Amino acid sequence: MGMLNRSMCTLWTANVAIKAFYINLVLAAVKAPVLLLLVPDYLPKPHKGALQKLKELDIIGMVLNAGIYVGWVIPMTFASTLWGWSDNRTIASFVAFGVIFIAFAIQQGIPLFTTLERRVFPAQFLRRTVMILLYVSTSCTNSALLVPAYYIPIFFQFTRGDSPVDAAVRLLPLVILAIVSVMVQGITMPLVGYYTPYYTISGVLIVIGSALMSTVGVDTPVANIYGYSIIIGIGTGLGIQASYGVAAAKVKEDEVQHAINYINLAQIGAETLSLTVAGTIFQQLAFKNLSKYLAGRGYTSAELIAAIAGTQSVILQNGSEEVRSLAIEAIVEAMKKVYITMIAAGALQVICSVFLPREKLFMKPAAA
């Protein structure tokens, strides 16, 4: 029965999360006419047919690449809520992840069933120290932006009773400053030419902002949280798009598209890795804290998991004022630990910047 309750709770949470994606339908309806009417047509290799172009795609590499993400997300998600880390399903999922990862590495490295030019992952860049540092730095910066973008609204929903819309508005300081910083970096870096300072400053600001966010408690003033998020926004904005210009400037002309794809993969991988790790930390610690803070009050494991999933739960809706306060404190305490991953990401970016060349680059117009 306990397993059934946990499964029902997980399905309910997933159903709520799926509904959040309905906003994409509205955005797509607004954006589609602009794309159809204003964006010029571009048809690469017009002399080749659609079927011939399809055959040139690295289909096996795409499938294996997707399998890596799925193989990572499944055990990290279910082990922390339903299965347990020693469960055979968790172990089997991690083994499958390892096998798929090795298969992808072999298939891309040789390459198999594709060519060096058409493979999904441009592995030739792994032989260049600068490109590896750019990959890691891009992953760190993206992680540092995505984690607070996910957890700041959740924090305000738990502690201030915000609606989903109101909680999303709380992200504006982070988002606006990140966008402005991206624009500043995009304009100034080609003019300055030196790119290493951008990564250093970005990493330092991420560490400072994340360290401050890790101190946020239930009663922290809203102005403080906005200030901390602004620091993170500036830090992530200075570095999140920088690698596109640098990577394109560091490779040959015929490798520019591969370099852009290389940085794209760094961003995609960071999204999957950071949010999965952060979610696992949050769920594990929140459940542990709730079990401790509400011990002896008769709540089941399913009810504790439901409280972590959102404010629409038996504990947070029907519990006494004392119970609700204890539950929110337990959840916020777990949420604070999530920002430790961001501190690590910012610190790693600073370390990478130390090893980047102190050189002045001419940024290609295409990269800019």
Side-chain angles (χ1 to χ4, degrees), residues 4 10 82 87 99 111 141 156 176 196 203 230 239 241 277 325 351 354 357 364 366:
L4 178 61
T10 302
L82 297 177
D87 191 285
V99 171
T141 313
F156 281 110
I176 291 175
T196 302
I230 285 173
Q241 296 291 319
V277 171
S325 298
I351 294 173
V354 172
K364 296 181 176 67

Side-chain angles (χ1 to χ4, degrees), residues 23 143-157 162-180 213 222 225-234 236 275 335 339 342:
I23 191 174
S143 300
L145 179 62
L146 288 170
V147 171
Y150 186 85
Y151 283 96
I152 287 176
I154 295 177
F155 172 84
F156 281 110
Q157 284 186 289
D162 282 3
S163 67
V165 174
D166 291 336
V169 171
R170 306 280 195 177
L171 277 177
L172 288 179
L174 172 71
V175 174
I176 291 175
L177 267 297
I179 293 173
V180 171
M213 285 298 296
V222 175
I225 300 174
Y226 287 164
Y228 305 158
S229 62
I230 285 173
I231 296 174
I232 296 174
I234 296 173
T236 54
L275 290 179
M335 204 175 296
Y339 292 99
M342 290 176 52

Side-chain angles (χ1 to χ4, degrees), residues 112-360:
L112 290 175
F113 309 108
T114 186
T115 65
L116 291 174
E117 294 76 20
R118 297 169 184 167
R119 58 185 175 182
V120 171
F121 187 85
Q124 68 269 23
F125 296 139
L126 296 180
R127 299 188 183 96
R128 308 179 194 180
T129 303
V130 173
M131 297 298 285
I132 295 175
L133 294 173
L134 293 178
Y135 188 97
V136 175
S137 297
T138 301
S139 300
C140 291
T141 313
N142 275 267
S143 300
L145 179 62
L146 288 170
V147 171
Y150 186 85
Y151 283 96
I152 287 176
I154 295 177
F155 172 84
F156 281 110
Q157 284 186 289
F158 277 114
T159 62
R160 303 298 193 272
D162 282 3
S163 67
V165 174
D166 291 336
V169 171
R170 306 280 195 177
L171 277 177
L172 288 179
L174 172 71
V175 174
I176 291 175
L177 267 297
I179 293 173
V180 171
S181 298
V182 167
M183 296 172 65
V184 170
Q185 174 269 314
I187 294 172
T188 60
M189 183 180 285
L191 297 176
V192 174
Y194 294 99
Y195 57 91
T196 302
Y198 288 86
Y199 288 97
T200 305
I201 296 172
S202 172
V204 170
L205 290 176
I206 289 172
V207 171
I208 294 173
S210 302
L212 291 171
M213 285 298 296
S214 69
T215 66
V216 171
V218 175
D219 300 322
T220 300
V222 175
N224 289 26
I225 300 174
Y226 287 164
Y228 305 158
S229 62
I230 285 173
I231 296 174
I232 296 174
I234 296 173
T236 54
L238 290 176
I240 198 167
Q241 296 291 319
S243 293
Y244 285 102
V246 179
K250 293 290 293 183
V251 300
K252 299 177 182 178
E253 195 68 37
D254 59 350
E255 292 181 315
V256 170
Q257 186 58 50
H258 295 299
I260 292 174
N261 183 48
Y262 178 77
I263 301 302
N264 281 338
L265 291 172
Q267 289 193 338
I268 295 172
E271 294 173 6
T272 306
L273 179 65
S274 62
L275 290 179
T276 306
V277 171
T280 301
I281 292 173
F282 173 64
Q283 292 183 68
Q284 289 277 85
L285 294 180
F287 182 80
K288 180 180 178 180
N289 291 346
L290 284 170
S291 301
K292 177 182 177 181
Y293 287 25
L294 302 180
R297 297 178 184 269
Y299 291 112
T300 65
S301 296
E303 289 171 332
L304 297 179
I305 295 174
I308 301 170
T311 56
Q312 305 296 320
S313 65
V314 173
I315 294 176
L316 295 174
Q317 282 202 323
N318 302 329
S320 64
E321 186 65 32
E322 180 187 5
V323 167
R324 288 198 298 271
S325 298
L326 288 173
I328 292 173
E329 183 179 351
I331 292 171
V332 171
E333 283 297 315
M335 204 175 296
K336 291 162 67 173
K337 304 300 182 184
V338 168
Y339 292 99
I340 294 176
T341 62
M342 290 176 52
I343 297 174
L348 181 57
Q349 183 170 326
V350 173
I351 294 173
C352 288
S353 71
V354 172
F355 293 97
L356 285 172
R358 269 59 177 171
E359 61 182 352
K360 187 174 184 178

Side-chain angles (χ1 to χ4, degrees), residues 60 65 73:
I60 294 179
N65 188 43
V73 170

